[in-house]
Amino acid sequence: MPEHIKILTFFVNRGYEAALKADLGQETTICKDRLRKEFENNEEAFNWAMRLYIAENTYKAEQALHTDGISPTDCLLTAFMQWAGRDAYHLHQATYGRDIIERGLRLTNKNNERHVSHYEDSISEFLFHQNLCSSKKEAEDITFLLMMSSKGLLLKCEDREDYRQSMYRIIHAALNG
């Protein structure tokens, strides 16, 4: 398991506040000396792990927008499933899942993370270049709707399949007006 996933899993299982005080090295099997060298504290480790996790999800989501041979709706659905859909289960099944995901979203908003804004730009460009929108402004508006819907569904949906079905309905409605 990659180290950033070990760190996030540690926080999800312990809760943010408890994880800040716990022995991250012992719990994650990551070398304590390495952790001390790279991070001043557990909060820095969390921030690093969350940023990397979001960056990876965003990269995979953007790649899904370039899939040949499937409909634009399916491309968008695949992208949103990569970006957020797989987290729906963890959010609701883990005791501290909601807290950790909300902290991750706040972290990206607070630091104006480029990954999320780049993903939004990629969706807008996809919508416009696929001739699904008549203007760039319309593509930006639909992108805003899809992004906000995705975040809301992440908090509402109990599992990946629920998220997938709900996101499909929203994408279909947004594209078919």
Side-chain angles (χ1 to χ4, degrees), residues 60-83 119 123 126-127 130 132 146 167-168 171 175:
K60 290 175 185 174
E62 288 174 343
Q63 294 306 304
L65 294 173
H66 302 288
T67 305
D68 293 328
I70 64 173
S71 72
T73 299
D74 288 338
C75 277
L76 286 166
L77 181 60
T78 302
F80 277 100
M81 290 300 296
Q82 286 293 332
W83 191 66
Y119 179 52
I123 293 170
F126 174 83
L127 292 169
Q130 292 285 322
L132 299 169
L146 294 175
M167 196 67 207
Y168 177 83
I171 292 168
L175 296 182

Side-chain angles (χ1 to χ4, degrees), residues 6-16 19 46 50 90-91 93-98 100-101:
K6 287 181 181 180
I7 291 170
L8 291 177
T9 301
F10 171 71
F11 275 85
V12 166
N13 291 337
R14 285 289 202 108
Y16 186 80
F46 172 81
M50 185 57 76
H90 300 295
L91 180 73
Q93 300 305 316
T95 304
Y96 300 103
R98 178 180 297 261
I100 299 307
I101 290 176

Side-chain angles (χ1 to χ4, degrees), residues 16-17 46 98-108:
Y16 186 80
E17 296 301 326
F46 172 81
R98 178 180 297 261
D99 178 51
I100 299 307
I101 290 176
E102 287 176 353
R103 285 179 187 278
L105 291 172
R106 282 196 306 269
L107 176 70
T108 60

Side-chain angles (χ1 to χ4, degrees):
M1 177 184 305
E3 289 182 345
H4 68 289
I5 300 298
K6 287 181 181 180
I7 291 170
L8 291 177
T9 301
F10 171 71
F11 275 85
V12 166
N13 291 337
R14 285 289 202 108
Y16 186 80
E17 296 301 326
L20 289 177
K21 299 171 189 142
D23 186 345
L24 184 59
Q26 181 179 351
E27 298 282 334
T28 62
T29 68
I30 300 171
C31 176
K32 289 183 186 185
D33 289 337
R34 186 165 167 274
L35 286 168
R36 278 191 222 109
K37 183 178 168 184
E38 290 192 36
F39 309 110
E40 280 188 34
N41 54 44
N42 287 4
E43 182 177 19
E44 273 190 21
F46 172 81
N47 290 344
W48 168 80
M50 185 57 76
R51 282 188 182 103
L52 186 54
Y53 180 75
I54 290 169
E56 285 179 350
N57 284 3
T58 302
Y59 175 78
K60 290 175 185 174
E62 288 174 343
Q63 294 306 304
L65 294 173
H66 302 288
T67 305
D68 293 328
I70 64 173
S71 72
T73 299
D74 288 338
C75 277
L76 286 166
L77 181 60
T78 302
F80 277 100
M81 290 300 296
Q82 286 293 332
W83 191 66
R86 65 189 185 144
D87 295 324
Y89 174 81
H90 300 295
L91 180 73
H92 294 281
Q93 300 305 316
T95 304
Y96 300 103
R98 178 180 297 261
D99 178 51
I100 299 307
I101 290 176
E102 287 176 353
R103 285 179 187 278
L105 291 172
R106 282 196 306 269
L107 176 70
T108 60
N109 290 338
K110 180 177 145 186
N111 295 324
N112 196 20
E113 295 291 322
R114 68 185 186 287
H115 304 296
V116 175
S117 62
H118 189 268
Y119 179 52
E120 290 172 352
D121 292 343
S122 295
I123 293 170
S124 291
E125 289 173 23
F126 174 83
L127 292 169
F128 186 71
H129 292 297
Q130 292 285 322
N131 296 316
L132 299 169
C133 298
S134 58
S135 68
K136 289 189 178 191
K137 173 72 170 110
E138 181 185 9
E140 290 169 359
D141 290 346
I142 289 176
T143 297
F144 177 78
L145 170 73
L146 294 175
M147 293 297 291
M148 292 301 105
S149 297
S150 176
K151 290 178 182 179
L153 289 177
L154 185 59
L155 297 174
K156 175 194 172 286
C157 295
E158 294 291 325
D159 58 34
R160 182 178 172 90
E161 185 58 25
D162 188 16
Y163 178 93
R164 189 191 71 70
Q165 289 176 3
S166 298
M167 196 67 207
Y168 177 83
R169 290 176 59 207
I170 291 167
I171 292 168
H172 184 74
L175 296 182
N176 297 305

